[in-house]
Amino acid sequence: MPIAIDAMGGDFAPRVPILGAIKAVNENGLHVILVGDEKKIQQELSSCKFNHKKVDIVHAEQIVEMDESIVQALKNKKQSSMRIAYNLHKQKDVSGVVSAGHSGAMLAIGKFVLKTIHGIDRPCISALLPSIKGKVLLLDSGANMDCSPYHLLQFAILGDVYTQHILSVPNPKIGLLNIGTESGKGNELAKQTYSLLKKSTSLNFQGNIEGKEFFLGNFDVVLTDGFPGNIFLKSVQGAANFVSDILKEEIKKSWLAKIGALFMIPAIKNLKKKIDYSEYGGAPLLGLRGVGVVCHGNSNPAAIQFGLNFANWAAKANIVPRVEEKISSNQELLDSLKCE
Amino acid sequence: MPIAIDAMGGDFAPRVPILGAIKAVNENGLHVILVGDEKKIQQELSSCKFNHKKVDIVHAEQIVEMDESIVQALKNKKQSSMRIAYNLHKQKDVSGVVSAGHSGAMLAIGKFVLKTIHGIDRPCISALLPSIKGKVLLLDSGANMDCSPYHLLQFAILGDVYTQHILSVPNPKIGLLNIGTESGKGNELAKQTYSLLKKSTSLNFQGNIEGKEFFLGNFDVVLTDGFPGNIFLKSVQGAANFVSDILKEEIKKSWLAKIGALFMIPAIKNLKKKIDYSEYGGAPLLGLRGVGVVCHGNSNPAAIQFGLNFANWAAKANIVPRVEEKISSNQELLDSLKCE
């Protein structure tokens, strides 16, 4: 079954989503449906070479803008490329939806059209990040504010199933983002969530993890409320930019350093590749009754291609019944919180 | 008046606190009181050259351990170097206290011995961080969990006064750490705090700031609850280590890159200097009726020296009445919250 790509989403739409989709068609054999302004899409496609059987277009009149309120997007953009892509998914014409557009709207429209998996109250946005050892899934990375331990237990279940069945990590190690590693550390949410997760017999909860240890890769899934989760994500970005800006400035000051930097170009390229957004910028939406993947607004075609492949793996992984099964094995714990 | 240094605090005590104190005596003309095990202190001092009139020792039997619970430290460590240093401050024998020991205990013992400034409910730990343009004060950086807007308004007042009178920044620009820059973004705490700060006429509140923009230096003071504040601080550290670890690994793989790295040593040294803990690791405790500064546990002597100088500036800045004045100019706002 094809994957739908929101051709109008992202900072460089429709060009980059289309180029990314064509890469996924040509290099990975995917079948895609480009959803958006048909005329503009045709125009972009005219300069591309691809198997025409593997690319379809579905026209959409409207676009969800990046700064649009989610309520407005839900109410007034029923003909948007994002909404129509989800409708195709609902009708089983595609097996997943990918967009580099408004991530909050992607989640909200996805929730509205597809609904959530039975037992999941709040679907969430995760972020797949690099580490010394491999990949780490952070969730929630910014969609859900003021979560309760009840929600974090649901995130743990989602993270566990996705990591196991899409990223093929057996028995994923789950950690709780906190200000210290000892039990009893953190705010009320962290303390209560820690005690709760310790009680689960079907989740491999390993305890607290501090931000400074995130990239060591000792955990496969890191849980957090969306507020600190998003602060984490953006701080890391800010710190990396800061170090690189200062280093560039220092290199500019000395011709010796300039020569040194020239020698180091391949090493720096490898570094960039290892922490590249194109492989790690994809943010699967977890908890929907279907497959939604958000790419960063300033994604390049490779990032879109990765998002499409990711959606394709997710569609094949048969996630919904697996999550439902895990929910029922934690039902007693979840019910104990509902009663409070 | 001298400054007291907890000679037993930190990962390399008593050696590093003593070496840092001697640097502050020799290079900045400070007068210090070393508080801790007299015999060990005398032993370390025997290899140092300094003006003996500027260095005193006060013996302390006990040490607050790094992993000790704060309650235990308060209850059972009445003869600790930290507690005795604060007692000296209370008796007006010193004008401030510096320690590289247990930061939570430094705050709690400081609060117990010195009390807080009138109108301040929760003193906090701040962190002075570098930016492209200068320095940024982050508060709270990890001492206070589950804050209310009422506490964050108090932090804003503390940050404003300290930045203005210790760091000499006129009319400091205050920002709220959040997940987006628009008003209405964030969790309940962020939304309510934003509205509250907008109403203050005596604080230069400029709005929300995202973690990725922290290091651009467009704000002088950044406010946050201690949970995301600490996540921010440690994530930045984790990200910087990650980038540097991967780069080192890449450099090791190629002899060309190794040569390049050699050429770049001065530039890298300058980079390190710019983001050096020795200048930015000092964390003033704000809101106490006195001066307390925490240095990082793995501080070097230069970081201790900076902490002592910072304490000396703070002592001269006459902070307590200035904070009280700012509290009273925001009294109506604070009272409006108390009533809720």
Side-chain angles (χ1 to χ4, degrees):
Chain A
M1 214 187 285
I3 307 284
I5 166 95
D6 169 11
M8 313 314 282
D11 301 346
F12 312 108
R15 186 167 176 74
V16 165
I18 292 172
L19 292 181
I22 297 304
K23 270 175 86 72
V25 169
N26 291 345
E27 295 170 23
N28 315 104
L30 257 56
H31 180 179
V32 300
I33 297 188
L34 301 163
V35 186
D37 184 316
E38 190 168 5
K39 220 168 151 186
K40 286 187 183 162
I41 294 173
Q42 289 287 15
Q43 205 175 336
E44 283 294 341
L45 284 179
S46 64
S47 59
C48 301
K49 276 190 186 166
F50 55 93
N51 178 347
H52 286 252
K53 283 184 191 159
K54 297 269 192 183
V55 179
D56 293 300
I57 302 172
V58 169
H59 180 68
E61 287 289 332
Q62 294 177 307
I63 299 172
V64 174
E65 303 295 342
M66 278 305 222
D67 54 357
E68 198 157 351
S69 94
I70 292 174
V71 177
Q72 292 303 317
L74 267 170
K75 212 173 142 190
N76 303 333
K77 295 288 176 77
K78 289 180 185 156
Q79 297 306 317
S80 65
S81 49
M82 213 180 255
R83 181 74 167 259
I84 289 178
Y86 272 123
N87 289 342
L88 292 172
H89 193 8
K90 173 88 179 166
Q91 297 155 23
K92 298 197 163 51
D93 291 332
V94 298
S95 59
V97 176
V98 176
S99 176
H102 190 316
S103 59
M106 257 299 272
L107 188 68
I109 297 175
K111 190 177 172 185
F112 183 82
V113 175
L114 304 176
K115 313 299 175 208
T116 55
I117 297 176
H118 183 76
I120 296 293
D121 287 59
R122 293 186 175 189
C124 63
I125 302 184
S126 66
L128 196 57
L129 295 164
S131 82
I132 296 279
K133 292 183 191 162
K135 292 172 187 171
V136 187
L137 191 75
L138 176 81
L139 71 163
D140 177 67
S141 74
N144 293 289
M145 303 287 111
D146 300 303
C147 293
S148 71
Y150 179 71
H151 300 122
L152 264 73
L153 175 54
Q154 293 180 4
F155 296 169
I157 291 167
L158 290 170
D160 177 85
V161 173
Y162 275 73
T163 312
Q164 206 163 148
H165 298 285
I166 303 181
L167 303 177
S168 304
V169 177
N171 199 23
K173 290 190 203 110
I174 300 175
L176 179 66
L177 189 63
N178 206 335
I179 65 163
T181 52
E182 309 89 336
S183 73
K185 279 273 178 184
N187 56 11
E188 276 310 307
L189 174 64
K191 286 189 230 174
Q192 289 176 25
T193 304
Y194 185 98
S195 312
L196 182 68
L197 289 167
K198 274 285 173 204
K199 289 180 199 155
S200 171
T201 50
S202 71
L203 292 169
N204 182 15
F205 177 59
Q206 300 268 319
N208 292 325
I209 168 174
E210 289 183 278
K212 65 183 173 189
E213 277 148 18
F214 189 94
F215 298 97
L216 302 182
N218 296 328
F219 292 79
D220 304 301
V221 177
V222 175
L223 303 174
T224 171
D225 171 87
F227 189 83
N230 196 268
I231 297 285
F232 172 85
L233 210 59
K234 289 184 179 155
S235 309
V236 161
Q237 208 179 327
N241 290 345
F242 178 59
V243 171
S244 120
D245 286 351
I246 295 202
L247 189 60
K248 272 184 206 156
E249 213 174 89
E250 288 302 325
I251 289 172
K252 265 189 209 159
K253 283 186 196 161
S254 129
W255 60 269
L256 217 60
K258 271 184 204 161
I259 295 170
L262 281 179
F263 283 120
M264 282 173 67
I265 287 173
I268 289 168
K269 273 194 180 159
N270 275 341
L271 166 72
K272 277 194 178 159
K273 210 172 151 190
K274 280 201 176 153
I275 54 177
D276 191 358
Y277 239 123
S278 65
E279 185 150 357
Y280 295 103
L285 303 173
L286 310 190
L288 297 177
R289 288 195 81 82
V291 173
V293 173
V294 179
C295 298
H296 203 275
N298 65 5
S299 287
N300 57 17
I304 301 287
Q305 178 188 16
F306 178 79
L308 284 161
N309 276 300
F310 197 87
N312 193 41
W313 301 329
K316 287 179 180 159
N318 204 19
I319 290 299
V320 177
R322 293 185 201 275
V323 170
E324 284 172 345
E325 193 187 311
K326 201 98 195 182
I327 294 250
S328 63
S329 72
N330 285 280
Q331 199 60 55
E332 215 173 300
L333 273 184
L334 287 161
D335 286 346
S336 73
L337 290 162
K338 261 191 177 166
C339 300
E340 275 170 14
Chain B
M1 213 187 286
I3 307 283
I5 165 95
D6 169 13
M8 314 312 283
D11 301 345
F12 312 109
R15 186 168 176 71
V16 165
I18 292 172
L19 293 181
I22 297 303
K23 269 174 87 71
V25 169
N26 291 344
E27 295 169 22
N28 315 105
L30 257 57
H31 180 178
V32 301
I33 298 189
L34 301 163
V35 186
D37 185 317
E38 191 169 3
K39 220 168 150 185
K40 287 187 182 161
I41 295 174
Q42 287 288 14
Q43 206 175 334
E44 282 296 340
L45 283 180
S46 63
S47 60
C48 301
K49 275 189 188 167
F50 57 92
N51 179 347
H52 286 252
K53 283 184 192 159
K54 295 271 193 183
V55 178
D56 292 299
I57 301 172
V58 168
H59 180 67
E61 287 287 332
Q62 294 177 307
I63 299 171
V64 173
E65 304 294 343
M66 279 305 226
D67 54 357
E68 198 158 349
S69 94
I70 292 174
V71 177
Q72 292 303 317
L74 267 170
K75 211 172 143 188
N76 302 332
K77 295 288 175 77
K78 289 179 186 157
Q79 297 305 318
S80 65
S81 49
M82 212 180 256
R83 181 74 167 258
I84 288 178
Y86 271 124
N87 289 342
L88 292 172
H89 193 9
K90 174 88 177 163
Q91 296 155 23
K92 297 197 165 48
D93 291 332
V94 298
S95 59
V97 176
V98 176
S99 176
H102 190 316
S103 60
M106 257 299 272
L107 188 68
I109 297 175
K111 190 178 173 185
F112 182 81
V113 175
L114 304 176
K115 314 300 175 208
T116 54
I117 297 176
H118 183 76
I120 296 293
D121 289 58
R122 293 186 176 188
C124 63
I125 302 184
S126 66
L128 196 59
L129 295 165
S131 82
I132 296 280
K133 291 183 191 162
K135 292 171 188 172
V136 187
L137 192 74
L138 175 81
L139 71 163
D140 179 65
S141 73
N144 294 290
M145 304 288 110
D146 300 303
C147 293
S148 71
Y150 180 69
H151 300 122
L152 264 73
L153 175 54
Q154 293 180 3
F155 296 170
I157 291 168
L158 290 170
D160 176 84
V161 173
Y162 275 74
T163 312
Q164 206 163 147
H165 298 285
I166 304 182
L167 304 178
S168 305
V169 177
N171 200 23
K173 291 189 204 108
I174 299 174
L176 179 66
L177 190 63
N178 207 335
I179 64 163
T181 53
E182 309 88 337
S183 72
K185 279 273 179 184
N187 56 13
E188 276 310 309
L189 174 64
K191 287 189 231 175
Q192 289 177 23
T193 305
Y194 184 97
S195 312
L196 182 68
L197 288 167
K198 274 284 174 205
K199 289 181 198 154
S200 171
T201 51
S202 70
L203 293 168
N204 182 14
F205 178 59
Q206 300 268 318
N208 293 325
I209 167 174
E210 289 184 279
K212 65 182 174 191
E213 276 147 18
F214 189 94
F215 298 97
L216 301 183
N218 295 329
F219 292 79
D220 304 302
V221 177
V222 174
L223 303 173
T224 171
D225 170 86
F227 190 82
N230 195 268
I231 297 285
F232 172 85
L233 210 60
K234 289 182 178 156
S235 310
V236 161
Q237 205 180 329
N241 289 344
F242 178 58
V243 171
S244 120
D245 285 353
I246 294 201
L247 190 59
K248 272 184 206 156
E249 212 174 89
E250 288 302 324
I251 289 171
K252 265 190 209 157
K253 283 185 197 161
S254 129
W255 62 268
L256 215 61
K258 272 184 203 160
I259 295 170
L262 281 178
F263 283 119
M264 282 174 66
I265 286 173
I268 289 168
K269 273 194 180 159
N270 275 341
L271 166 72
K272 277 195 178 159
K273 211 171 149 190
K274 281 204 175 150
I275 53 175
D276 192 359
Y277 240 124
S278 66
E279 185 148 358
Y280 296 103
L285 303 173
L286 310 191
L288 299 177
R289 288 195 81 81
V291 174
V293 173
V294 179
C295 296
H296 203 273
N298 65 6
S299 288
N300 58 17
I304 301 288
Q305 177 189 17
F306 178 78
L308 284 160
N309 277 301
F310 197 87
N312 192 43
W313 302 329
K316 288 180 179 160
N318 204 18
I319 290 300
V320 177
R322 293 186 200 274
V323 170
E324 284 172 346
E325 193 188 308
K326 202 99 196 180
I327 295 249
S328 63
S329 73
N330 285 281
Q331 199 62 53
E332 216 173 299
L333 273 185
L334 286 161
D335 287 345
S336 73
L337 289 162
K338 262 190 176 164
C339 300
E340 274 170 14

